[in-house]
Amino acid sequence: MQRGDILNKQLDILMDLKRILSENRRRVKSSSNNSSVSGGVFSRSWSSSPRSSDFSESGLESELAGGETPKSEQSETEEVIAALEKNGVSFVNSNTRTKMKKGGSGGNNNNNKPKMALRVDIPATTPTRTITAVTSMLWEDLINNPKKGESGGGGGDHINRKKIQCAEKMIRSAFVELYRGLGLLKTYSSLNMVAFTKILKKFDKVANQQASPSYLREVKKSHFISSDKAVRLMDEVECIFTKHFANNDRKKTMKFLRPQQQKESHMVTFFVGLFTGCFVSLFSVYAILAHLSGIFSPTTGRSYVETVYPVFSVFALLSLHLFMYGCNLFMWKATRINHNFIFEFQPSNSLKYRDSFLICTTFMTSVVGAMVIHLLLRAAGFSPSQVDAIPGVLILIFIALLICPFDILYRPTRYYFLRIMRNIACSPLYKVLLVDIFMADQLTSQIPLLRHMESTTCYFIAGTFKTHRYETCNSGKLYRDLVYLISFLPYYWRAMQCLRRYIEESDVNQLANMGKYVSAMVAAGARLTYAKKENHLWFAIVLVTSAFATIYQLYWDFVKDWGLLNPKSKNKWLRDDLILKNKSIYYMSIGLNVVLRVAWVETVMGFRFRMVESRMLDFFLASLEVIRRGHWNFYRLENEHVSNVGKCKAVKPVTVPFRDADSD
């Protein structure tokens, strides 16, 4: 109920701001001489008033679409602040307040209204807002003299169309979360009533008497079942949302407040089985053809390994990661881990485990089919330069499908994936969500894939697939330098996310987490340098840096990410709350994670392989890292879910745009 009151006040402020702006725009159009806001514009008191105007999101955009000069926007801002101050609401550091105090007009009419200093608090979720917030903070702290603000020289909170639009979206999201919380509360009440009924029926059966009717009458009198406050507040939220955010369209309101989950289709299961069978058959054919043509032999296999093999390795590692994600989705559903809530996914369009398996099997069937066609064309005597272009065509097809604008082939998921990748690539400018952290962690396990993409891009752009001059990409200085950059990038992005969270939350653990990724970058750089300069000095550096980074990562995996190794836990060296009943699974998972974390030892063992065997070994180790990451994912979300349950966290926290300055 308190949250509902807060949101009603937030909506009141928003409606008044929009009403003032719209009336000011009409007044400017009608007469350029009348520049003051009349008292009738703001005819309500701060405590309570009905909202009399209908402002939908589309209405807001149409009202505020017209462009204005900076001077008119500044004067408009001052009028808005002045009108709000007359009605008991003031803004932090606003020039208008000083001017009103000096002028003495307008402030004497409402002396009986309590003043409340508010600030427009729009989170810095995008690069533009982040850069603006940082520059404003630096300008205010380092350049502006604080005394100037007291004398009217400081720049107050700037009100513009974008801020109001962002504030409206924040309030809309807050109403959606309030409605979901009320729905959970209503379900909680119903479940308790059902529980009491079943308990009393069991009591009647065991005690051989009919006592349940009298007990149930007392239960129904209790507040948790007799109160209708939650139901009435749900109805009120529906009405408010329909009026102000859905343009009086109730169907649109229900899409926001009660999104329907997709029904699982048996056709998806059928196609998963179909493509799985096709993949197994095609892979068997490919293995036979590869053996007969001798493409992996030391003498004739270089052309295939240098140009074609990296492309197919990219697709194979991607498919393996999709398969592991499908296994994660299956296990999260089986253990009732609410991954949609943790990742803030929309239940109506989030991937199910069958969908992930379908994408994976379709992906690999297409790739193995292209590999078979490639071998058949090579055996038929076609030009190698033409045949080796097939992997490049396959890449272009999949990129086109990924950015396809039509609503087919899981478009919401594809575009959401692209937005996450944009957020990661622009770290730390975007606000960091858990799904961004999760995806960035996946990228740290796909560094071999990124290096394969680098070599593939080089081969096709430089035309090496036509000339077969492999030294173009292998020996170039730019190529060698890019290997370091690509190996560092995932760790750098993850470190920047930790830095952003430290700045926002002031949590020292984020700095410690950032140190983990910095140590991983140092170890990766040392291993790359040792591959070129094999001497005792670099061997010692690789050994020290890799051992330190591995111990650091293992500690963070077990203690921070998984929440295990608690010596005071009732479950020996685990944690108090476990979802899996068999404790031995956790101990085996700890051992498996340790073994897969030390796969880097192969790089310093000094084994010598031919090119084909070396590439196969690299692919095998890369696959093991992807499997380790999929195994890590389950326990990471299990720990997050247990933490949410322990905190009774069932709806995501939503910030409101208009805050009391004293709350800082």
Side-chain angles (χ1 to χ4, degrees):
M1 298 297 293
Q2 292 176 351
R3 196 179 303 171
D5 293 339
I6 292 173
L7 291 182
N8 281 332
K9 292 179 180 179
Q10 294 282 318
L11 190 61
D12 285 339
I13 297 175
L14 178 67
M15 293 300 105
D16 291 331
L17 284 171
K18 290 162 66 174
R19 188 184 306 119
I20 291 172
L21 291 179
S22 61
E23 291 196 6
N24 179 72
R25 184 164 288 104
R26 288 196 298 267
R27 191 166 59 251
V28 168
K29 289 181 179 179
S30 61
S31 174
S32 59
N33 297 326
N34 186 12
S35 60
S36 61
V37 180
S38 62
V41 173
F42 225 96
S43 59
R44 68 168 183 90
S45 65
W46 163 243
S47 58
S48 63
S49 79
R51 291 177 290 274
S52 58
S53 301
D54 176 25
F55 289 90
S56 64
E57 186 178 2
S58 59
L60 171 66
E61 293 173 355
S62 61
E63 288 170 11
L64 304 180
E68 294 177 322
T69 61
K71 286 186 177 181
S72 62
E73 188 172 300
Q74 184 177 359
S75 62
E76 184 177 291
T77 300
E78 293 174 356
E79 291 179 4
V80 170
I81 296 176
L84 284 171
E85 285 187 335
K86 290 179 182 179
N87 289 271
V89 181
S90 60
F91 287 86
V92 180
N93 295 333
S94 63
N95 299 334
T96 313
R97 292 168 61 184
T98 308
K99 292 177 182 178
M100 287 176 60
K101 289 178 183 178
K102 288 182 178 180
S105 60
N108 300 326
N109 297 332
N110 296 285
N111 291 331
N112 58 337
K113 293 185 180 180
K115 289 286 182 181
M116 177 178 280
L118 293 182
R119 63 185 304 140
V120 184
D121 189 11
I122 304 298
T125 55
T126 63
T128 304
R129 295 180 199 166
T130 302
I131 295 172
T132 303
V134 172
T135 53
S136 299
M137 179 181 64
L138 293 175
W139 182 266
E140 181 179 353
D141 294 343
L142 302 178
I143 301 177
N144 282 351
N145 189 349
K147 296 181 179 180
K148 290 182 180 180
E150 299 174 1
S151 62
D157 287 347
H158 190 62
I159 301 176
N160 52 34
R161 295 188 300 272
K162 289 185 178 180
K163 268 198 173 182
I164 292 182
Q165 290 174 356
C166 293
E168 182 171 22
K169 290 180 180 179
M170 292 173 65
I171 295 174
R172 182 184 66 184
S173 299
F175 271 112
V176 171
E177 292 304 317
L178 173 63
Y179 189 85
R180 289 177 182 173
L182 291 169
L184 291 174
L185 192 62
K186 182 181 176 182
T187 303
Y188 179 76
S189 172
S190 302
L191 285 175
N192 275 275
M193 189 63 206
V194 173
F196 272 113
T197 304
K198 290 188 175 183
I199 290 170
L200 291 172
K201 284 184 179 180
K202 186 70 174 180
F203 174 79
D204 290 345
K205 183 178 179 180
V206 174
N208 198 18
Q209 55 179 296
Q210 297 296 323
S212 59
S214 58
Y215 280 110
L216 280 177
R217 281 196 296 270
E218 296 300 321
V219 171
K220 291 179 180 178
K221 291 179 183 178
S222 61
H223 190 70
F224 86 93
I225 195 65
S226 62
S227 174
D228 61 342
K229 289 183 178 180
V231 178
R232 287 191 286 107
L233 187 55
M234 287 182 72
D235 295 337
E236 182 181 349
V237 171
E238 289 180 7
C239 295
I240 291 174
F241 202 94
T242 303
K243 180 178 180 182
H244 296 284
F245 303 108
N247 201 18
N248 291 322
D249 187 349
R250 184 168 177 79
K251 289 184 178 180
K252 185 178 179 181
T253 298
M254 291 299 103
K255 286 182 180 180
F256 276 100
L257 300 181
R258 297 180 187 175
Q260 298 294 324
Q261 293 191 4
Q262 291 179 345
K263 295 182 179 180
E264 296 185 356
S265 173
H266 294 293
M267 291 298 294
V268 175
T269 307
F270 168 76
F271 280 113
V272 169
L274 176 64
F275 287 125
T276 301
C278 293
F279 165 69
V280 173
S281 302
L282 288 171
F283 188 79
S284 302
V285 173
Y286 170 76
I288 295 172
L289 291 175
H291 176 71
L292 294 177
S293 60
I295 58 172
F296 290 112
S297 63
T299 56
T300 61
R302 182 173 184 183
S303 173
Y304 189 84
V305 171
E306 290 287 352
T307 57
V308 180
Y309 174 75
V311 185
F312 291 140
S313 297
V314 169
F315 291 121
L317 291 174
L318 278 176
S319 300
L320 180 60
H321 217 131
L322 283 170
F323 175 77
M324 295 303 300
Y325 182 65
C327 294
N328 290 147
L329 292 175
F330 175 79
M331 288 300 299
W332 291 333
K333 181 180 180 181
T335 54
R336 303 182 68 179
I337 293 176
N338 193 356
H339 70 280
N340 284 332
F341 171 70
I342 294 173
F343 288 144
E344 300 182 18
F345 288 162
Q346 293 294 332
S348 57
N349 52 32
S350 62
L351 277 185
K352 311 296 188 297
Y353 72 91
R354 289 187 180 90
D355 299 320
S356 183
F357 287 147
L358 177 60
I359 297 173
C360 170
T361 52
T362 306
F363 208 64
M364 278 312 297
T365 301
S366 304
V367 172
V368 177
M371 293 167 68
V372 171
I373 294 173
H374 180 269
L375 288 182
L376 290 175
L377 293 178
R378 282 172 61 100
F382 282 84
S383 172
S385 61
Q386 296 176 351
V387 176
D388 289 346
I390 291 177
V393 174
L394 192 64
I395 291 178
L396 293 178
I397 291 174
F398 279 111
I399 292 176
L401 291 176
L402 181 64
I403 62 176
C404 176
F406 302 109
D407 194 6
I408 56 174
L409 301 175
Y410 303 102
R411 186 182 69 172
T413 301
R414 290 187 284 110
Y415 277 35
Y416 193 73
F417 169 76
L418 292 175
R419 284 196 296 271
I420 293 174
M421 296 303 295
R422 176 205 62 189
N423 295 352
I424 294 172
C426 296
S427 299
L429 298 179
Y430 281 97
K431 182 178 178 60
V432 181
L433 304 177
L434 185 59
V435 66
D436 302 324
I437 296 172
F438 184 81
M439 181 58 70
D441 281 329
Q442 310 307 304
L443 291 178
T444 59
S445 296
Q446 287 286 16
I447 292 176
L449 179 145
L450 298 177
R451 292 179 61 179
H452 283 318
M453 291 180 64
E454 178 203 9
S455 60
T456 300
T457 304
C458 179
Y459 287 136
F460 284 104
I461 291 179
T464 308
F465 71 99
K466 294 181 179 180
T467 62
H468 296 96
R469 296 180 60 185
Y470 312 113
E471 63 276 2
T472 304
C473 292
N474 290 337
S475 304
K477 184 178 184 302
L478 178 61
Y479 178 85
R480 294 198 305 267
D481 294 340
L482 283 176
V483 170
Y484 284 91
L485 177 63
I486 291 174
S487 300
F488 292 164
L489 263 182
Y491 298 119
Y492 167 78
W493 288 330
R494 193 65 189 86
M496 289 300 100
Q497 289 179 341
C498 294
L499 179 62
R500 169 73 184 243
R501 293 189 66 189
Y502 170 73
I503 294 173
E504 291 181 343
E505 303 170 11
S506 299
D507 185 3
V508 181
N509 284 326
Q510 297 300 329
L511 285 182
N513 197 11
M514 185 176 72
K516 180 187 71 172
Y517 295 104
V518 172
S519 68
M521 279 193 284
V522 174
R527 287 197 292 269
L528 288 173
T529 306
Y530 176 70
K532 301 174 183 178
K533 303 176 181 179
E534 295 187 4
N535 54 49
H536 294 294
L537 175 62
W538 279 106
F539 177 81
I541 294 175
V542 167
L543 205 59
V544 171
T545 56
S546 297
F548 177 79
T550 301
I551 295 172
Y552 204 155
Q553 291 165 351
L554 287 173
Y555 168 79
W556 206 270
D557 285 345
F558 299 143
V559 178
K560 299 296 185 179
D561 292 335
W562 293 5
L564 304 179
L565 298 185
N566 182 5
K568 299 181 181 180
S569 172
K570 62 182 180 181
N571 301 308
K572 190 174 181 180
W573 290 102
L574 299 178
R575 67 171 107 85
D576 291 337
D577 299 316
L578 302 175
I579 290 182
L580 300 179
K581 296 181 180 179
N582 192 347
K583 298 179 185 177
S584 61
I585 296 178
Y586 291 93
Y587 297 115
M588 289 188 294
S589 297
I590 290 174
L592 179 62
N593 193 64
V594 171
V595 172
L596 295 179
R597 274 287 191 188
V598 297
W600 57 267
V601 174
E602 182 273 333
T603 60
V604 297
M605 292 299 292
F607 295 130
R608 292 291 183 269
F609 298 101
R610 292 191 295 265
M611 178 177 293
V612 175
E613 288 81 359
S614 177
R615 292 299 182 93
M616 291 295 181
L617 181 61
D618 291 343
F619 176 76
F620 177 72
L621 294 176
S623 301
L624 287 181
E625 173 59 22
V626 172
I627 293 172
R628 188 202 67 81
R629 179 59 64 182
H631 170 258
W632 177 91
N633 289 342
F634 173 78
Y635 295 103
R636 175 66 183 90
L637 250 68
E638 181 203 20
N639 187 36
E640 189 71 24
H641 178 77
V642 168
S643 176
N644 289 340
V645 171
K647 298 175 183 176
C648 299
K649 185 177 178 182
V651 293
K652 64 180 181 180
V654 180
T655 57
V656 291
F658 308 110
R659 289 194 299 117
D660 184 358
D662 296 334
S663 65
D664 294 344

